[in-house]
Amino acid sequence: TPKAPTTRRLARALSFLWAPTAPTMFGRFGGGGGHFVAQYRCYPVTFIDRPQLENGDKVILPPSALDRLTQMMIEEFPMLFEVTNTKHKKTTHCGVLEFVAEEGVVYLPYWMMQNLLLAEGDIVKFQYAKLLKGQYVKLRPQTQDFLDISNPKAVLETTLRTYTCLTVGDSILINYNNKRYYVDIVEARPNSAVCIVDTDCEVDFAPPLDYVEPVYDKPKPAGSKSGGDGGGERPSAGGSGGAGPGTEGAGAGAGKEPEDAAAADTGPKFLAFAGGGNRLDGKSQRDLAPVEVALPTTSLNIPKEFEQFMRGPKPEEGGEKKKEGDGGGGSTLPRRKAGKLVFGGARAKKEEDVQKEAEAKKEEEAKKVPEDAFKAFQGSGNKLK
């Protein structure tokens, strides 16, 4: 029939049009797959006011990247990418934080751009990657300042929580106590790039780049103490003819010993209790005179000999002899009622005497003031009315 060729031609045309679009269509709705490869212009995360992203390896990609990854039906998280600078052949790995960047633009931490030798606006290649869990990582600080951290293990554990993967040859950034530390990734197992999310990874440290081992003095051998002894032994085998030089060598060795002993005596020596004292108030000890301490009052009958011993000898005033007390043997200290304990009685009495003397002096000075002297508030008042 004439309709059969027309039907065949229509079927061939439909098959020709359907063939190239079928893989794309089924790939979009979950029936296919592929590799994610894209190129973007890179800029640091500070361009979008996100400086906190410097503490980690996560980047910000455009929304189109999320659409393509969704079409690939990727179910492994976190998503990891291989980042390559095709111009300088530098490669590293990173994770992704958000898909909110402008189309054709990716935002990277600045330390990652330094590792890849990238500048603002350079082209960088992104490719989806699958990395194995890390088992062993060897780190090397670039400066000795990292060794001054009190607990580097805790600092490292806290810092690596913001990282998703590590690549051999990279230098990661550690911010601690308002200071930046750069640490190199020297070795990683089982591959040169490993994932460190939800894994137990063994960490080892290598000496810092600027570390210099201390130099220790080697101890001298016992046979090279003095040359005089050796000189004395040699002529003994040669007979009496060599006795002269041997004797001179022994004499020279003997002469060095007193010199060494004298040099040792002149060196600094430890002297016990040879330092000077200092006061907390800043005053010097010479400005402070000894203060007489008042004896406590008591109701006991103290002999005069013990009282004189406690008070110390006193110089006689005006050359007159000190009057002796009655022969009753009683104490001149104020007596108190038996069974009563008083603290500071003598001191309180002394303070009362000083206060009375001061009041008496004020009264005498007031009497000496002339009558015609100025006296405040002694005038008479007047009214305006």
Side-chain angles (χ1 to χ4, degrees), residues 100-362:
V100 295
E102 297 85 355
E103 292 298 333
V105 176
V106 62
Y107 295 100
L108 308 174
Y110 189 69
W111 63 266
M112 187 179 297
M113 295 179 62
Q114 289 179 328
N115 290 337
L116 296 174
L117 303 178
L118 291 171
E120 291 84 352
D122 288 351
I123 301 297
V124 64
K125 178 183 176 182
F126 270 74
Q127 183 176 354
Y128 180 77
K130 295 181 180 180
L131 301 180
L132 299 177
K133 299 289 185 179
Q135 300 176 358
Y136 173 83
V137 175
K138 189 173 185 180
L139 307 177
R140 179 181 59 193
Q142 292 187 0
T143 58
Q144 297 186 24
D145 299 342
F146 188 79
L147 303 179
D148 298 336
I149 299 176
S150 59
N151 193 354
K153 180 182 177 182
V155 174
L156 192 63
E157 289 178 353
T158 305
T159 303
L160 292 182
R161 290 174 185 172
T162 59
Y163 286 81
T164 54
C165 53
L166 298 176
T167 307
V168 175
D170 284 355
S171 297
I172 62 175
L173 176 64
I174 296 177
N175 279 325
Y176 175 72
N177 200 13
N178 297 329
K179 194 171 182 180
R180 293 187 172 186
Y181 301 93
Y182 287 92
V183 179
D184 299 335
I185 311 299
V186 179
E187 185 181 353
R189 298 174 189 169
N191 293 330
S192 59
V194 294
C195 177
I196 59 172
V197 178
D198 297 334
T199 181
D200 294 332
C201 186
E202 180 182 357
V203 179
D204 191 10
F205 284 94
L209 289 176
D210 59 350
Y211 178 75
V212 179
E213 294 187 1
V215 180
Y216 299 99
D217 296 335
K218 296 182 179 180
K220 296 181 180 180
S224 61
K225 287 184 178 180
S226 62
D229 297 340
E233 292 177 357
R234 291 177 183 173
S236 61
S240 60
T247 307
E248 293 177 0
K256 291 182 179 178
E257 294 178 358
E259 294 179 0
D260 298 341
D265 294 339
T266 57
K269 294 182 178 180
F270 172 74
L271 299 177
F273 305 104
N278 296 318
R279 292 175 55 88
L280 295 177
D281 54 6
K283 298 180 181 180
S284 61
Q285 295 181 353
R286 297 180 180 178
D287 299 339
L288 300 176
V291 180
E292 182 179 358
V293 180
L295 291 176
T297 58
T298 179
S299 60
L300 299 177
N301 189 8
I302 301 176
K304 286 187 176 181
E305 292 79 6
F306 181 75
E307 180 183 349
Q308 185 177 3
F309 171 75
M310 293 294 294
R311 294 187 179 274
K314 293 185 178 180
E316 297 181 357
E317 299 178 358
E320 297 180 358
K321 295 183 179 180
K322 189 177 181 181
K323 296 181 180 181
E324 296 182 0
D326 298 336
S331 172
T332 58
L333 294 175
R335 294 180 58 83
R336 302 290 179 183
K337 187 177 180 181
K340 186 177 181 181
L341 183 63
V342 180
F343 294 95
R347 185 179 301 172
K349 184 178 181 182
K350 188 176 180 180
E351 292 178 356
E352 291 178 1
D353 296 341
V354 172
Q355 187 176 2
K356 289 180 180 179
E357 291 179 1
E359 292 177 357
K361 288 182 180 180
K362 289 182 180 180

Side-chain angles (χ1 to χ4, degrees), residues 32-104:
H35 297 283
F36 175 84
V37 180
Q39 291 185 351
Y40 304 102
R41 290 192 178 274
C42 64
Y43 295 96
V45 291
T46 54
F47 278 32
I48 54 174
D49 296 333
R50 304 285 291 273
Q52 66 274 12
L53 297 183
E54 292 287 346
N55 302 326
D57 65 342
K58 296 180 176 62
V59 302
I60 297 180
L61 291 170
S64 60
L66 179 60
D67 294 340
R68 294 181 57 185
L69 292 170
T70 306
Q71 295 173 13
M72 295 169 57
M73 297 298 294
I74 295 177
E75 299 179 356
E76 295 182 3
F77 294 96
M79 296 182 182
L80 304 178
F81 300 90
E82 178 183 318
V83 188
T84 307
N85 182 359
T86 56
K87 183 178 179 181
H88 296 282
K89 307 298 182 182
K90 290 282 186 177
T91 303
T92 187
H93 295 79
C94 69
V96 60
L97 180 65
E98 297 176 354
F99 294 90
V100 295
E102 297 85 355
E103 292 298 333

